Amino acid sequence: MGAAMLSELATEIVVPVCAVIGIAFSLVQWVMVSRVKLTSESHASSANSSKNGYGDYLIEEEEGINDHSVVTKCADIQNAISEGATSFLFTEYQYVGIFMIAFAILIFLFLGSVEGFSTKSQPCTYDKEKMCKPALATAIFSTVSFLLGAITSVLSGFLGMKIATYANARTTLEARKGVGKAFIVAFRSGAVMGFLLAANGLLVLYIAINLFKLYYGDDWEGLFEAITGYGLGGSSMALFGRVGGGIYTKAADVGADLVGKVERNIPEDDPRNPAVIADNVGDNVGDIAGMGSDLFGSYAESSCAALVVASISSFGINHDFTGMLYPLLISSVSILVCLITTLFATDLFEIKVVKEIEPALKKQLIISTILMTVGIAIVTWIGVPSSFTIYNFGVQKVVKNWQLFLCVGVGLWAGLIIGFVTEYYTSNAYSPVRDVADSCRTGAATNVIFGLALGYKSVIIPIFAIAISIFVSFSFAAMYGIAVAALGMLSTIATGLAIDAYGPISDNAGGIAEMAGMSHRIRERTDALDAAGNTTAAIGKGFAIGSAALVSLALFGAFVSRAAITTVDVLTPKVFIGLIVGAMLPYWFSAMTMKSVGSAALKMVEEVRRQFNTIPGLMEGHAKPDYATCVKISTDASIKEMIPPGALVMLTPLIVGTFFGVETLSGVLAGALVSGVQIAISASNTGGAWDNAKKYIEAGASEHAKTLGPKGSDPHKAAVIGDTVGDPLKDTSGPSLNILIKLMAVESLVFAPFFATHGGLLFKIF
């Protein structure tokens, strides 16, 4: 079989060093963003212009606006957004913290009871001749890794939100110097979040493995089974972040749009609109904090799935630490690759005109994918033996290192294909969105019909890409192949997150420009940044959904192996009932989240109407609206409404596994995966297309768009209604579904020992 060229000591050094480089790079980016001053100090110290690199170059007079008052206004608005986002997340984390502790106790009790809380060593699951650590140890360490994953996930989301709210007003101020300067601030801020998350996720996982190894010693099977709790912790927090944040942001957005744009005919982000602060807060808690936790969960789970399968393969049996940590080596190289890629956007090429923004973001994806392909080849060549065996449902399958490279590579390139297909269907540069915009001529109904059709059609190519990835990676390296393919798709996570976070930061920057009363020219620049961000956000969601499909399939394979199921036979009633119920769950979940947004938006619309009708001088701009009430409506609604969908996802595997057994649960997981992926892709793309169709009409950049506009025309009002319908689809239900399919799979894997021993109570009784 041979050994890897990279020694164990080198692996021990490479992984943490790359993680530390990632954290250091994110801090450097943050320092660069912080050079843009938000106080009038920069004017006072303009004589010493080298102090912050800009001096009075930043505070230039523009079109008769007193810039001091503009800077002060921007700072005030930024503070209001930051305070709103922070207070919401703290409230959310209080509830989530209670859940975290309760679920940690549940993990300990369920897994500890497998051997009746015995402290004696037991025969290993996959090799009965060897003795492994007691089930009680797995219970304790799984609980610890669950808490570690949960805390890292919460931290990822919170830090992302803090960085975004720190950068939004700075992006607005830089827009006065030109679109290129504003782009760099927004992109650097996104990079801070991307690198912090990727590096933190890697470092915490690496430290956990090494600390657990002190107790487990040679029992790698038990060690990596306990590590799966890390993925469960990451995704369970992401679920509440995505659902809670999604309900918050869309309740505010729908309320602001329906009353502001459609009824009162005032621009988006107009300071007279009472829901405008809540809307901007929502961008940060949903699109930034929620998405950060979500992608961290995907990363943690794909790593855990690969490690679990590897621990019962030749890597684990022969105690080949370098081969074992192959998933972490890929993540380490990805940090270096994404670092080089980021420099292309921020330092090597400067954006001078609006039309260069979107290509620059797309180039980031292409460059990172090409460089990562080379990186994967190097890691596979030096980090994996020329041939090794992988556990494949009871037998060991011989795999060559070039086959493993192809598994990761196919996942990486499938991610890029899904990204570009998503862009084709959601960017207003292409015909699908323009057709949707054109359908607004005849009203909102045709707009809705065209948008739904576009969403359903956009599922076709991504599903083929995922199917080919699964076939290739499984043929070469069984379930391990699928796990590393998922990791390949997520290997450019730092760049992907930077591009993703850039969108909401630009959106907020535009809102701040509008509220601070800055000139139309600046609003045009921030709108251009935002429009590009909208498309890239859709690309990010495509990545998240595609990787979720591969991750959950890999976790499903690990669960089937751990639960000692030899085959999943669809023809047996136990499995088939699970399959059909599992396929229904994404619909049930979507119904809950959509209705939550609807009922919260209803309250918001009523409150915004009440303020317009009862506050004298509000429409004329003489009186200030009551922003705080709208923020409170969104906060209360999202905290209350995130609990039922969260409970549905978290309790389903526990109930099914305990009462119906592992065969039925395997059916539920397969059904949820198959239907969840389709709904998630179509929901995200439909919503993205409606949003960009509206922006296409508003921008009026082409002759065709001018015939549909201007703002306030009947086609524009129809487009706003489509966008409003699509909001909960693209930002609440769609993105939350990928967490549903991953989370149920990883939860089943963590509880597999309990289900295999004590599950299926109903079938035992009857």
Side-chain angles (χ1 to χ4, degrees):
M1 290 286 166
M5 289 164 68
L6 197 68
S7 70
E8 185 172 329
L9 178 65
T11 308
E12 295 269 15
I13 295 167
V14 167
V15 176
V17 164
C18 288
V20 170
I21 289 170
I23 293 168
F25 183 71
S26 68
L27 293 175
V28 169
Q29 298 297 311
W30 180 76
V31 167
M32 288 179 158
V33 171
S34 65
R35 283 182 178 175
V36 182
K37 296 296 176 191
L38 256 191
T39 59
S40 47
E41 289 167 29
S42 49
H43 192 70
S45 64
S46 59
N48 178 18
S49 62
S50 63
K51 176 188 167 192
N52 56 25
Y54 296 119
D56 54 6
Y57 174 41
L58 170 65
I59 311 290
E60 60 184 12
E61 287 297 319
E62 194 204 78
E63 297 170 18
I65 296 170
N66 177 343
D67 274 74
H68 285 302
S69 70
V70 167
V71 175
T72 310
K73 267 186 191 170
C74 285
D76 290 345
I77 296 161
Q78 185 204 39
N79 285 339
I81 293 169
S82 182
E83 281 167 20
T86 307
S87 81
F88 167 72
L89 286 181
F90 272 129
T91 312
E92 181 183 75
Y93 293 156
Q94 282 168 8
Y95 285 86
V96 167
I98 296 164
F99 157 80
M100 196 161 78
I101 293 160
F103 207 76
I105 293 166
L106 204 64
I107 292 172
F108 175 72
L109 293 175
F110 270 58
L111 295 183
S113 68
V114 171
E115 296 284 329
F117 297 98
S118 162
T119 53
K120 290 177 187 164
S121 294
Q122 57 177 9
C124 298
T125 310
Y126 299 97
D127 185 354
K128 299 294 181 190
E129 290 171 16
K130 283 186 183 171
M131 296 303 281
C132 284
K133 299 290 184 196
L136 188 63
T138 306
I140 293 166
F141 284 101
S142 293
T143 307
V144 171
S145 58
F146 167 76
L147 291 170
L148 270 177
I151 291 162
T152 313
S153 179
V154 163
L155 206 61
S156 300
F158 185 75
L159 288 174
M161 180 279 297
K162 274 296 185 198
I163 291 149
T165 53
Y166 182 81
N168 49 19
R170 287 171 166 81
T171 305
T172 311
L173 292 176
E174 284 291 85
R176 296 179 302 176
K177 289 196 251 171
V179 77
K181 300 284 186 192
F183 171 82
I184 285 177
V185 170
F187 191 81
R188 279 194 199 284
S189 313
V192 177
M193 178 186 177
F195 282 91
L196 264 184
L197 186 142
N200 277 342
L202 175 64
L203 194 59
V204 174
L205 182 57
Y206 173 78
I207 292 168
I209 289 170
N210 277 291
L211 289 178
F212 286 18
K213 217 166 91 176
L214 296 176
Y215 169 79
Y216 276 99
D218 285 347
D219 177 13
W220 285 18
E221 184 190 300
L223 162 61
F224 290 101
E225 192 173 300
I227 284 289
T228 51
Y230 185 69
L232 176 59
S235 256
S236 54
M237 296 303 106
L239 175 71
F240 291 109
R242 262 296 197 198
V243 174
I247 293 168
Y248 186 109
T249 180
K250 291 304 117 183
D253 201 355
V254 171
D257 281 0
L258 281 182
V259 185
K261 285 188 193 169
V262 178
E263 293 179 11
R264 295 282 170 169
N265 216 3
I266 58 176
E268 188 162 2
D269 296 316
D270 192 295
R272 293 170 290 177
N273 194 328
V276 73
I277 292 285
D279 185 7
N280 281 289
V281 168
D283 290 337
N284 294 293
V285 296
D287 294 346
I288 297 269
M291 200 209 28
S293 293
D294 178 5
L295 282 177
F296 166 75
S298 281
Y299 163 75
E301 283 163 339
S302 55
S303 303
C304 290
L307 290 167
V308 167
V309 179
S311 71
I312 51 176
S313 305
S314 64
F315 296 146
I317 296 162
N318 303 334
H319 297 95
D320 174 4
F321 194 66
T322 302
M324 192 70 221
L325 289 197
Y326 178 68
L328 276 72
L329 287 168
I330 290 177
S331 305
S332 304
V333 171
S334 82
I335 289 174
L336 303 180
V337 163
C338 293
L339 192 153
I340 296 164
T341 310
T342 303
L343 297 177
F344 279 93
T346 56
D347 297 86
L348 299 178
F349 297 107
E350 192 183 343
I351 284 173
K352 292 185 175 68
V353 289
V354 164
K355 65 173 186 286
E356 291 175 0
I357 300 169
E358 209 167 300
L361 292 169
K362 284 194 322 208
K363 275 178 198 156
Q364 284 285 296
L365 289 172
I366 296 166
I367 293 166
S368 61
T369 303
I370 292 167
L371 292 178
M372 196 61 213
T373 308
V374 178
I376 294 164
I378 295 166
V379 168
T380 312
W381 182 50
I382 64 169
V384 177
S386 57
S387 77
F388 49 93
T389 63
I390 290 294
Y391 184 84
N392 179 24
F393 301 117
V395 293
Q396 294 285 352
K397 178 184 171 76
V398 177
V399 180
K400 302 273 192 290
N401 59 2
W402 62 265
Q403 292 175 316
L404 193 60
F405 161 70
L406 289 177
C407 292
V408 188
V410 78
L412 175 67
W413 284 91
L416 191 69
I417 291 165
I418 292 170
F420 282 134
V421 169
T422 308
E423 187 220 6
Y424 174 72
Y425 280 105
T426 55
S427 168
N428 52 30
Y430 303 104
S431 59
V433 170
R434 294 186 175 194
D435 290 345
V436 171
D438 195 60
S439 70
C440 295
R441 290 177 194 279
T442 48
T446 42
N447 181 26
V448 169
I449 292 165
F450 268 70
L452 287 172
L454 176 147
Y456 297 147
K457 195 176 175 187
S458 71
V459 173
I460 300 166
I461 298 172
I463 291 298
F464 276 119
I466 292 168
I468 291 165
S469 307
I470 291 168
F471 182 77
V472 170
S473 50
F474 190 86
S475 301
F476 284 146
M479 278 299 169
Y480 187 70
I482 293 172
V484 292
L487 208 60
M489 203 177 273
L490 288 165
S491 60
T492 52
I493 186 171
T495 299
L497 261 171
I499 293 169
D500 251 355
Y502 154 88
I505 291 168
S506 305
D507 192 358
N508 262 204
I512 291 170
E514 185 76 49
M515 285 185 270
M518 292 169 90
S519 73
H520 180 64
R521 205 174 66 174
I522 292 186
R523 182 70 223 224
E524 275 180 355
R525 287 173 190 164
T526 56
D527 277 354
L529 291 169
D530 181 26
N534 238 357
T535 303
T536 53
I539 292 173
K541 284 175 190 136
F543 263 95
I545 295 162
S547 64
L550 293 176
V551 168
S552 55
L553 185 59
L555 291 164
F556 175 71
F559 161 72
V560 168
S561 298
R562 182 63 189 84
I565 305 170
T566 45
T567 53
V568 178
D569 185 357
V570 182
L571 296 176
T572 56
K574 277 185 189 178
V575 176
F576 192 79
I577 57 167
L579 198 65
I580 202 159
V581 169
M584 172 274 296
L585 287 174
Y587 290 92
W588 189 358
F589 180 83
S590 298
M592 282 177 161
T593 48
M594 293 284 284
K595 191 157 184 286
S596 299
V597 172
S599 56
L602 199 66
K603 289 178 194 154
M604 188 67 78
V605 167
E606 285 166 357
E607 173 58 25
V608 175
R609 277 181 186 155
R610 183 194 68 75
Q611 291 198 30
F612 274 123
N613 293 333
T614 59
I615 299 175
L618 180 56
M619 262 312 275
E620 293 75 30
H622 303 316
K624 269 187 87 172
D626 177 9
Y627 297 127
T629 306
C630 291
V631 170
K632 189 174 186 318
I633 287 172
S634 260
T635 303
D636 292 349
S638 54
I639 296 295
K640 188 177 113 210
E641 301 281 358
M642 75 179 182
I643 294 165
L648 173 72
V649 177
M650 298 302 289
L651 294 177
T652 299
L654 292 178
I655 292 167
V656 174
T658 306
F659 292 106
F660 299 93
V662 284
E663 286 96 343
T664 308
L665 181 54
S666 64
V668 168
L669 296 178
L673 166 61
V674 169
S675 83
V677 173
Q678 330 276 341
I679 304 169
I681 296 172
S682 67
S684 292
N685 291 349
T686 295
W690 276 326
D691 192 353
N692 276 340
K694 175 202 72 176
K695 282 194 165 62
Y696 174 70
I697 294 171
E698 287 175 350
S702 67
E703 287 306 314
H704 175 239
K706 282 175 186 156
T707 63
L708 299 167
K711 287 183 184 180
S713 66
D714 284 343
H716 177 247
K717 284 182 176 173
V720 170
I721 290 167
D723 174 37
T724 313
V725 174
D727 272 338
L729 284 172
K730 82 175 195 306
D731 288 324
T732 312
S733 296
S736 304
L737 280 171
N738 64 56
I739 303 178
L740 172 137
I741 56 179
K742 292 181 306 189
L743 185 50
M744 282 173 39
V746 73
E747 189 182 332
S748 302
L749 174 59
V750 169
F751 286 100
F754 175 81
F755 297 150
T757 313
H758 302 303
L761 293 178
L762 285 180
F763 293 130
K764 285 175 185 171
I765 295 165
F766 299 113

